[in-house]
Amino acid sequence: IGYPSSQPGSGVKPIRSTFKDIEGQYRLRDEISYHPKMRKVFRPTGPTRISFVWTNDDVDEAGGRVGPKGKGDATSSPVQYFAFNVGESMPLHRFIDEKEAEYSDKDASMTFRVPPTAQAFNPSTATRSSLDLAIGFESGDILVYEPLGKSYTSYFNREPRMNTGKVHDIAWLPNSKNLFVAAFGNGCLLVLDKEREDFPLPARTDATGEFCVMHSRQAKNNPVSKWYVSDKALTALSFSPDGTYLAVAGQDGYLRVFDFAEERLIVSFRSYFGGFRCLAWSPDGKCIATGGEDDLVTLFSVAERRVLARCAGHQSWVAAVAFDRFTGTMDPRFQTSYRFGSVGEDARVILWDYAHEAVRRPRVLSQAAPMSAGPPAGRPAQTTSPDDPRHRVATARTLAGPDPAPASVSRGIIVEAPGRSAVSTLQPTVSHRAHHEPCSDIAFLEHLLVTCSWGKVKLWARPEPSQAAGVTPLTNPSAPLSTPSTSASKTTDAIQ
């Protein structure tokens, strides 16, 4: 790519192509640093993010079939595509055989005038002949692009008309064919419908700094709604697996969890230090892992409204976190466990194992009660007053235009960051330097671990199931990791 640190003779130790953990050995299978069809090196201008999608049909309209055995396999099977941003370009590949890290080199490659900064496929509409790829740009523009047909489905926020600022993240509402959400650098969220046309909303007239939501007056116009969340950048967002809740990470150091349909802020978690930069929901929808400027990966229990553990191992800001949906209970003695990974600007990939019953319980828990219950007896819930400058109050109001109608008010809980002695600290299961440059993204696939840096994507072959000792793979990756224990289920029944 042209980084001095990665050139031969630079004096930097080469990256090892293998590393081990309790599952077995991870082995580097391939490295993507440019798109073969373009026959030229891309010049990265920002962090590389990668997105994956499985198609919903199993028959290619052109007659081709790609099964688990690769080309020529007569067994019909969904196809997996992936796209990543590098500079002003975004190449699209198709896995021919994920297990062998074999991918196509003749799919689409998109080039734009402005660097793309976020992208997401819509799994609800993905077929072998058509994909919906929402792309956000540094300029604030948003496209819904069909890369196979090389056509624009929709173009939003031109000039920009609806909101200013860089697009930091995009996510489609689960099981929706049209709705997606974009997070911006000015602290706002836009909920957009790919079938609607842009129409600018009236300017916000109040200056209270409260959380509020504005809606378009007409059902045919975008945005569906505009959320004023913070006065600083919103760096990441993600829907819970069932699509009920939306988690938003902010540069102001708050992780906010909303009831998306009700447009209600439920709870806000404060970071230990600095802003949040990434987040991921656990497959069972009970926990959120975050990373940020405190060099920590923090695991939050959304239902219990508390910090479960802090993970110390990175030596710089954490850039991305992801849960491993394909690995279940790491130790059969324990019921609730997670495997997740993180990458950071220290160029390292770190894998973590969390077992709820095995983690040391701190003697002091100065955090809030379960979300299904009220505050502890004799102690008020930790809410923030409207005058607190650190946080926009969880006052949900709907503004239909310059003269809004009265709306109900609800206040979310603020969970302050507990001290070090009040939270257990996890140590890495394995820590490996994966790139020469700062890492920017991570993803777990069934047979591969994927890591990204600025302009490069590495595909690491995962250990075979026979190598793992005491590891139970999930037969259904979308199912919960395990059945919660009786004591845990009492406090994680519902998020209200």
Side-chain angles (χ1 to χ4, degrees):
I1 294 297
Y3 293 97
S5 62
S6 60
Q7 299 304 312
S10 62
V12 178
K13 296 177 65 175
I15 302 295
R16 289 189 302 159
S17 60
T18 62
F19 63 93
K20 290 184 178 180
D21 77 338
I22 60 175
E23 287 186 286
Q25 186 178 74
Y26 287 77
R27 182 164 46 94
L28 181 62
R29 294 301 303 266
D30 201 356
E31 179 178 330
I32 309 172
S33 58
Y34 65 94
H35 193 246
K37 184 178 181 180
M38 297 290 292
R39 301 291 182 186
K40 72 174 184 178
V41 174
F42 290 140
R43 301 295 176 184
T45 58
T48 295
R49 305 287 185 181
I50 192 166
S51 298
F52 298 86
V53 69
W54 282 97
T55 59
N56 293 312
D57 55 4
D58 55 6
V59 179
D60 190 354
E61 290 186 358
R65 293 178 181 268
V66 180
K69 297 181 181 179
K71 284 184 177 180
D73 182 14
T75 303
S76 61
S77 173
V79 178
Q80 187 177 28
Y81 287 93
F82 64 96
F84 56 94
N85 60 299
V86 189
E88 291 82 16
S89 301
M90 185 172 293
L92 175 76
H93 293 279
R94 170 175 48 86
F95 272 118
I96 298 173
D97 189 344
E98 180 199 313
K99 188 174 183 179
E100 299 298 326
E102 183 181 358
Y103 54 89
S104 66
D105 61 356
K106 296 182 180 180
D107 292 298
S109 180
M110 301 152 276
T111 303
F112 309 97
R113 295 182 180 180
V114 181
T117 53
Q119 76 276 349
F121 288 102
N122 187 354
S124 298
T125 60
T127 65
R128 293 191 178 187
S129 59
S130 177
L131 301 172
D132 282 334
L133 178 62
I135 307 172
F137 294 87
E138 197 172 71
S139 60
D141 296 41
I142 299 174
L143 293 178
V144 177
Y145 191 74
E146 206 292 277
L148 298 180
K150 299 181 180 180
S151 61
Y152 298 97
T153 303
S154 306
Y155 190 178
F156 305 113
N157 202 35
R158 301 188 189 196
E159 299 177 358
R161 300 186 66 188
M162 297 181 291
N163 192 62
T164 59
K166 170 184 173 181
V167 179
H168 282 269
D169 204 359
I170 287 180
W172 290 86
L173 177 64
N175 303 317
S176 173
K177 295 183 177 181
N178 296 328
L179 293 180
F180 64 95
V181 182
F184 286 81
N186 66 347
C188 291
L189 293 176
L190 287 184
V191 181
L192 301 171
D193 188 320
K194 73 172 186 178
E195 303 293 340
R196 297 188 184 186
E197 297 181 357
D198 281 10
F199 190 83
L201 290 172
R204 184 179 180 183
T205 56
D206 66 316
T208 61
E210 299 176 354
F211 163 66
C212 75
V213 180
M214 297 180 68
H215 292 97
S216 175
R217 285 185 174 274
Q218 299 187 20
K220 65 179 182 180
N221 293 334
N222 267 323
V224 176
S225 60
K226 181 175 182 179
W227 298 26
Y228 291 86
V229 179
S230 174
D231 55 2
K232 293 187 178 181
L234 304 180
T235 54
L237 59 85
S238 179
F239 282 97
S240 60
D242 62 0
T244 303
Y245 304 103
L246 175 66
V248 181
Q251 188 66 39
D252 59 0
Y254 281 95
L255 167 67
R256 299 172 172 89
V257 181
F258 298 88
D259 185 305
F260 183 72
E262 295 183 5
E263 298 177 340
R264 179 170 58 94
L265 177 55
I266 298 174
V267 63
S268 298
F269 297 97
R270 187 73 170 93
S271 69
Y272 184 73
F273 174 81
F276 287 111
R277 295 172 61 86
C278 55
L279 67 90
W281 283 89
S282 63
D284 58 7
K286 295 180 179 180
C287 299
I288 299 176
T290 64
E293 297 171 358
D294 52 11
D295 303 350
L296 298 171
V297 175
T298 306
L299 190 64
F300 296 94
S301 172
V302 180
E304 297 178 34
R305 294 186 301 194
R306 69 184 184 95
V307 178
L308 293 177
R310 293 192 179 108
C311 309
H314 284 286
Q315 299 175 357
S316 187
W317 292 358
V318 181
V321 292
F323 279 87
D324 184 355
R325 301 181 301 116
F326 302 92
T327 301
T329 303
M330 303 306 298
D331 191 319
R333 295 175 300 170
F334 307 118
Q335 291 185 325
T336 305
S337 65
Y338 302 115
R339 158 62 64 88
F340 52 99
S342 60
V343 293
E345 295 191 359
D346 55 2
R348 288 191 168 273
V349 55
I350 299 181
L351 303 183
W352 313 88
D353 290 322
Y354 173 84
H356 183 72
E357 290 80 1
V359 172
R360 177 186 63 83
R361 301 296 179 89
R363 286 180 286 181
V364 179
L365 288 177
S366 58
Q367 302 178 53
M371 298 183 69
S372 58
R379 183 161 59 92
Q382 300 181 39
T383 56
T384 303
S385 68
D387 299 325
D388 192 335
R390 298 174 304 165
H391 181 67
R392 297 199 170 199
V393 179
T395 304
R397 298 195 297 129
T398 299
L399 305 183
D403 299 315
S408 60
V409 175
S410 62
R411 296 184 182 275
I413 298 296
I414 304 294
V415 179
E416 296 293 343
R420 291 188 177 184
S421 61
V423 178
S424 300
T425 301
L426 288 184
Q427 297 302 318
T429 300
V430 63
S431 177
H432 177 68
R433 189 179 182 189
H435 295 263
H436 286 290
E437 299 79 32
C439 294
S440 56
D441 209 355
I442 181 173
F444 289 93
L445 306 182
E446 184 176 3
H447 301 288
L448 297 173
L449 169 66
V450 183
T451 60
C452 303
S453 66
W454 288 38
K456 292 184 179 179
V457 176
K458 287 188 175 183
L459 307 177
W460 304 82
R462 299 181 57 161
E464 294 292 334
S466 59
Q467 291 183 257
V471 179
T472 305
L474 285 176
T475 55
N476 180 8
S478 62
L481 288 176
S482 61
T483 302
S485 63
T486 304
S487 60
S489 63
K490 293 180 180 179
T491 57
T492 58
D493 291 335
I495 301 176
Q496 297 178 355

